[in-house]
Amino acid sequence: MKAKAIKIIDGVYWVGAIHWNSRTFHGYGIPGTTYNAYLVLGDEKNVLIDNVYRGMADQFYARVEDAFAQEGKDIKIDVFVQNHSEMDHSTFLRETIDKYNPDAEIYASQNCINFLESQYHNYGDLNINAVGTGDEIDIGGRTLKFVSAPMLHWPDSMFTFLAEEGILFSNDAFGQHICNSKRFDDDFSTDYLIGEAQKYYANLVTLASPMLKMKLQELTDSGLINEIKMIAPCHGQIWRDPSPIVQKYSEWANGVCKDKITIIYDTMHHSTEKLAYQIAEGIMSEDVEVKMYFMQEDGPDDVITDILDSKAIAIGAPTMMNKPFPRIGNMMYWLDCVNFKGTGSEKDALIFSSKGWGGGAVEKIQRDLEEAGFNVFDTLDVVFVPDEDVLEEAFQKGVELARSIKE
Ligand code: FEO
């Protein structure tokens, strides 16, 4: 096939793949994505950074070859840098090495080398070298510096910094799962991109927030953060202005939240829904932002995205067979996985439920929320259909929750 390489700066090309019809990744919904790989041309050596996912090889090879065609040069790859071994960035690495230069130098973290072997079982005979923070290679007029970045988002993750031009190839960090024909941040509004980056962070990076905080501090202390002029991640748009995403990563990793409460509910005969609506009205009466999710229609990935910068949540489910409605159970599982407490954000939770007789939903949700790191602020357990007095109580509980986050 034919596919065009995109020049980022002189001698640096995006040669990745666009996965137009991908709809899920790590269990959350996406509108397609990109697997970004980069070709860096030096006076002495040419370097291919990262690789692509299954089904994407033809597009990737076509772009690599187009980059050399644009330069008017024969194809010559001397060095492969692999920042991370997850399959969306490594599926064709061995094939690419065999295709272009089986004797090439290969650089990756020691964990990445181990993980490549564990996944593909065919890396033992290559000229592969372990590198980390402090290591660098000279490719002729250009220097690639390596920065270990464990848990961002696997133990093998690494950044590669093109020192002279200030381009940070950050792999998964600072990415977005979006899909379009443009490659740069300034092709879109910053609000849109930050929104997509927030979804990506909330669902994929939240758990690693403590490590991210340390990494940002390390980059600040070393002065490297001031040398970064561009961030080229492995998914989504390239940040020609890195400042908005670096600022947001710092806020998300440090648990900076808005005066905002996310309500999550499911309902059987609309009684729990009435409580959700009244709680929302109570919160809004205090001029606090509300996001509302109905779990018969909405996805946990969007809920997680909004909880990231919410100071509190309200979560409601009818009781069914002495337990919460099952879709709320799925939501609880996600909350436990992402671990918002790692950001340092202490989020309060209001639990509400309509039951027929014995109940059980509130107690189960309370146990699960506490295990997931939330502080249970209050509960409201209602018998069958809420009357006006109960609706007033729900409104007041919304007011109290809103006031608590403003204190
Ligand atoms: Fe985009 Fe951890 O892979």
Side-chain angles (χ1 to χ4, degrees):
M1 71 177 287
K2 291 181 71 173
K4 185 181 176 184
I6 304 299
K7 183 184 280 194
I8 298 174
I9 61 169
D10 285 346
V12 179
Y13 288 84
W14 174 85
V15 292
I18 306 172
H19 197 170
W20 296 100
N21 63 353
S22 178
R23 291 294 177 269
T24 62
F25 196 83
H26 282 224
Y28 85 86
I30 60 173
T33 191
T34 63
Y35 312 108
N36 299 340
Y38 300 94
L39 183 67
V40 179
L41 306 178
D43 292 340
E44 295 166 14
K45 297 175 181 174
N46 301 325
V47 183
L48 192 51
I49 300 177
D50 292 323
N51 204 271
V52 297
Y53 203 20
R54 64 173 178 257
M56 299 288 118
D58 289 348
Q59 200 186 131
F60 172 54
Y61 295 144
R63 289 194 213 282
V64 170
E65 289 164 22
D66 181 70
F68 283 104
Q70 289 185 42
E71 292 284 319
K73 295 177 178 170
D74 292 336
I75 298 166
K76 173 178 169 286
I77 299 173
D78 307 281
V79 175
F80 291 84
V81 170
Q82 193 66 27
N83 282 322
H84 173 39
S85 69
E86 192 166 4
M87 288 183 179
D88 53 323
H89 308 296
S90 69
T91 297
F92 297 99
L93 177 60
R94 176 72 210 224
E95 182 183 286
T96 310
I97 293 166
D98 289 343
K99 180 179 175 70
Y100 292 122
N101 184 359
D103 298 321
E105 304 159 41
I106 305 155
Y107 296 94
S109 70
Q110 184 61 59
N111 275 330
C112 186
I113 295 169
N114 298 343
F115 290 2
L116 287 168
E117 183 59 30
S118 297
Q119 291 174 92
Y120 301 104
H121 313 289
N122 59 359
Y123 277 79
D125 61 328
L126 294 173
N127 177 13
I128 189 162
N129 305 278
V131 288
T133 301
D135 293 322
E136 59 184 55
I137 58 171
D138 181 351
I139 60 170
R142 283 178 157 167
T143 313
L144 292 176
K145 297 183 174 183
F146 303 110
V147 180
S148 304
M151 298 316 297
L152 299 174
H153 74 128
W154 274 17
D156 66 334
S157 296
M158 182 174 83
F159 301 158
T160 298
F161 186 58
L162 178 56
E164 288 76 9
E165 281 86 5
I167 302 178
L168 185 74
F169 299 98
S170 61
N171 200 269
D172 280 324
F174 308 109
Q176 328 94 50
H177 280 308
I178 58 176
C179 193
N180 56 71
S181 58
K182 305 291 187 182
R183 298 280 64 86
F184 296 102
D185 54 350
D186 41 34
D187 291 313
F188 298 93
S189 74
T190 302
D191 283 351
Y192 164 71
L193 280 189
I194 291 296
E196 293 299 325
Q198 179 167 339
K199 183 173 185 180
Y200 183 100
Y201 185 101
N203 284 278
L204 292 171
V205 188
T206 300
L207 184 64
S209 293
M211 282 70 82
L212 179 63
K213 269 186 275 193
M214 287 191 289
K215 185 53 57 183
L216 290 173
Q217 190 60 52
E218 177 192 311
L219 296 178
T220 302
D221 292 344
S222 69
L224 190 71
I225 201 121
N226 296 322
E227 297 176 34
I228 299 172
K229 296 186 174 62
M230 192 183 298
I231 294 179
C234 263
H235 299 288
Q237 308 309 110
I238 297 163
W239 300 93
R240 285 202 268 224
D241 176 5
S243 53
I245 190 64
V246 170
Q247 173 65 28
K248 278 295 173 187
Y249 261 52
S250 176
E251 289 179 12
W252 295 328
N254 284 285
V256 174
C257 293
K258 301 177 186 172
D259 282 351
K260 168 180 164 183
I261 295 172
T262 298
I263 301 176
I264 310 122
Y265 79 97
D266 207 340
T267 198
M268 196 184 307
H269 299 298
H270 301 288
S271 293
T272 306
E273 184 172 71
K274 287 178 180 172
L275 299 175
Y277 279 33
Q278 277 297 266
I279 290 166
E281 291 296 332
I283 296 167
M284 290 187 292
S285 73
E286 290 292 314
D287 293 326
V288 167
E289 180 183 351
V290 169
K291 290 290 291 198
M292 176 84 80
Y293 286 102
F294 174 37
M295 298 316 296
Q296 283 185 25
E297 302 289 344
D298 299 326
D301 44 359
D302 289 323
V303 179
I304 294 290
T305 305
D306 270 303
I307 293 177
L308 179 67
D309 64 357
S310 293
K311 287 183 178 171
I313 66 170
I315 184 162
T319 293
M320 188 174 79
M321 294 181 277
N322 307 315
K323 294 286 189 306
F325 229 36
R327 278 182 291 257
I328 290 294
N330 181 42
M331 190 66 244
M332 301 306 302
Y333 193 81
W334 278 68
L335 290 177
D336 194 28
C337 285
V338 297
N339 187 15
F340 287 106
K341 205 165 186 179
T343 66
S345 163
E346 297 275 342
K347 297 182 193 297
D348 285 342
L350 167 64
I351 304 167
F352 57 98
S353 176
S354 163
K355 63 186 176 187
W357 45 98
V362 167
E363 292 80 0
K364 172 66 174 152
I365 292 172
Q366 179 159 357
R367 287 195 299 275
D368 289 349
L369 277 180
E370 287 172 348
E371 193 165 322
F374 289 81
N375 303 317
V376 174
F377 174 80
D378 203 354
T379 63
L380 178 60
D381 205 6
V382 172
V383 176
F384 280 115
V385 179
D387 61 15
E388 284 303 318
D389 288 344
V390 171
L391 292 176
E392 172 63 24
E393 188 181 359
F395 183 93
Q396 285 304 323
K397 286 184 185 290
V399 169
E400 288 159 16
L401 184 65
R403 286 178 181 166
S404 78
I405 68 167
K406 294 194 292 184
E407 287 169 356

